[in-house]
Amino acid sequence: MQSTGTLALLGGQPVRQKDFASWPRADKNTELNLLEVLYSQRWAISGPYTGAKSFERRFAEAYAAFHKVQYCVPTANGSSAITIALEAVDVRAGDEVLVPGLTWVACASAVAGIGAIPIIVDVEPETLCMSLPAARQAITARTRAILLVHQFCTIADIAGFVQLAAEHNLPLIEDCSQAHGAQWQGRRVGTFGVVGVASMQQTKVLTSGEGGAAITNDPYLYDRMQQLRADGRRYTAQVPAAGEMELEEIGSVQGRNYCLSEFQSAILLDRLPHLDTENHLREQNAAYLLSLLSTLGGVTGLARRPGTEQTTYYHFCVRLQREAFGQCSIEAITHALTAELGILIEPVDTPLNKNILYNPLNSPRTAALAEIRAQFDPTRFHLPNADEARSCCLTIPHRVLLGDHADMESIAAGFAKVQRYSHELSCIDQERK
Ligand SMILES: *Cc1c(COP(=O)(O)O)cnc(C)c1O
């Protein structure tokens, strides 16, 4: 490409040539676990018992112990963890569920997937998590649950939402897909609501490619969630003889198959003990990176909620003052940064009232519910804070935070360069208009 400017996006020399830390991670022990499954003749919990505890059960026990809770039900992905949590607390078709307006689409699509109506609530500008006052206003007589998400690298207003849920006698479900291992006031997130769910999809900080889990201290919800994820079956009370099934048929709820395979469980069991160490390293590097970015002017981090003891950086999210970047669009700025650094730097999610991935009116399921179609219409919600965040916040993937100080310095150098040459970018924005 012929150079038309100094910025790498316009053909200039990029700030960073070398790759950053890689993700996902695996080592010899991960490999040994996988090989053990491969030759074990048990690849699924719905396969015959082989005389050894399944990796799925071992992971469930380890993940519950990690959170200091009684129970964990692993699932095929985060979406199915949300689904079984909602069905376990008896959310039904036509019921309303509060979800934040700025998060991954699955939070709304899983609700709509069981025929319930996602009520899309605006976020707090400081943390980009669901706003408590906006949630309070959104509650109606039909509200049946709250799905609270700890977003990017922040912790939602747990105290406020626990109280709001109690006042209205609503189950609070915490979605920790972006906050594995985060800790607030002495406890891990996911343990404050009646159920805590998480995704272990490839981009998350604990991952098996695809995967999920739901944790709870409630034996009744545990029993329901077990059945909801295994076609109405649950683990037998007694260890079976080798060759027999470890699942018994109960059918007190309509289950489906959302089981996590033994391969995925084997990976998660191996990686879980690394989570705290990795979270700690990410937190230290994030603090250093933020200190560097803060000296540029016009770049600030999100708020750390009082009581936060461990932050999980899923995406490192910062807010830009676009005046400090020549008034360029967030798209132009993120493209320029991506070109300088060779990592995917993106704006935050598109708010769910205008996100192309959230399209419930095009679902045959919703179409069948003619009388409540209007209630599914995402455009009826107004999300000024989410819109504002979409126009001036950007995210950096967590893998770079597993590097060293020199890595953080080159990221900051990328920001400084894009800021310094933002006049070159203004031209791109002009051309697009
Ligand atoms: C990733 C994610 C999900 C969805 O998880 P899948 O495993 O992709 O189904 C749900 N909620 C949040 C907040 C997420 O970040």
Side-chain angles (χ1 to χ4, degrees), residues 16 26 69 74 81 94 98 104 124 131-132 137 147 153 171 189 192 228 233 241 366 372 407 413 423:
R16 174 90 178 188
V69 297
L98 306 192
W104 182 241
E124 304 174 319
S131 150
L132 183 66
Q137 274 204 333
L147 182 63
C153 49
V189 300
F192 295 92
L228 285 162
R233 295 167 295 176
T366 316
I372 51 173
D407 292 335
H423 55 274

Side-chain angles (χ1 to χ4, degrees), residues 76-80 82 103-107 147 149-151 175-178 197-201 203-204 209-212 314:
N77 48 48
S79 305
S80 49
I82 298 172
T103 189
W104 182 241
V105 61
C107 296
L147 182 63
V149 180
H150 306 291
Q151 188 70 21
D175 183 341
C176 310
S177 300
Q178 307 194 5
V197 299
S199 162
M200 280 69 159
Q201 179 270 342
T203 62
K204 318 293 177 174
E210 299 283 1
Y314 166 65

Side-chain angles (χ1 to χ4, degrees), residues 118 198 269 433:
L269 182 68
K433 271 177 197 152

Side-chain angles (χ1 to χ4, degrees), residues 81-298:
I82 298 172
T83 302
I84 65 167
L86 292 169
E87 293 197 307
V89 301
D90 207 25
V91 173
R92 297 173 177 219
D95 289 344
E96 295 180 355
V97 178
L98 306 192
V99 301
L102 186 79
T103 189
W104 182 241
V105 61
C107 296
S109 58
V111 171
I114 61 166
I117 300 156
I119 300 299
I120 302 172
V121 177
D122 205 5
V123 296
E124 304 174 319
E126 305 81 14
T127 66
L128 306 187
C129 294
M130 187 161 22
S131 150
L132 183 66
R136 192 180 289 282
Q137 274 204 333
I139 290 180
T140 71
R142 292 180 304 277
T143 310
R144 275 295 295 124
I146 303 174
L147 182 63
L148 183 65
V149 180
H150 306 291
Q151 188 70 21
F152 299 137
C153 49
T154 60
I155 292 179
D157 184 355
I158 293 173
F161 275 93
V162 165
Q163 197 193 332
L164 180 68
E167 275 168 30
H168 294 269
N169 198 20
L170 295 170
L172 178 68
I173 299 168
E174 290 177 82
D175 183 341
C176 310
S177 300
Q178 307 194 5
H180 306 79
Q183 188 156 311
W184 182 80
Q185 291 204 345
R187 279 156 64 185
R188 307 260 189 206
V189 300
T191 64
F192 295 92
V194 290
V195 180
V197 299
S199 162
M200 280 69 159
Q201 179 270 342
Q202 151 125 27
T203 62
K204 318 293 177 174
V205 300
L206 177 67
T207 182
S208 47
E210 299 283 1
I215 55 174
T216 187
N217 272 317
D218 183 327
Y220 173 74
L221 296 181
Y222 173 60
D223 182 45
R224 284 172 70 90
M225 291 198 295
Q226 276 204 72
Q227 295 183 52
L228 285 162
R229 67 82 202 258
D231 290 318
R233 295 167 295 176
R234 70 176 178 214
Y235 276 119
T236 53
Q238 308 298 325
V239 177
E244 288 183 1
M245 291 298 288
E246 202 180 359
L247 297 176
E248 57 179 349
E249 298 184 1
I250 304 295
S252 60
V253 293
Q254 176 58 66
R256 282 178 292 270
N257 181 4
Y258 294 134
C259 295
L260 188 71
S261 83
E262 284 293 280
F263 295 99
Q264 294 159 316
S265 304
I267 295 174
L268 292 175
L269 182 68
D270 175 63
R271 299 320 299 174
L272 179 61
H274 300 278
L275 178 58
D276 274 338
T277 322
E278 290 174 351
N279 271 341
H280 197 62
L281 177 60
R282 280 187 287 261
E283 188 171 45
Q284 302 219 310
N285 276 322
Y288 182 56
L289 177 57
L290 191 58
S291 74
L292 298 174
L293 293 177
S294 303
T295 65
L296 299 178

Side-chain angles (χ1 to χ4, degrees), residues 371-386:
E371 73 281 11
I372 51 173
R373 230 178 123 72
Q375 299 179 51
F376 279 95
D377 186 351
T379 63
R380 75 180 170 104
F381 301 102
H382 299 284
L383 309 170
N385 295 340

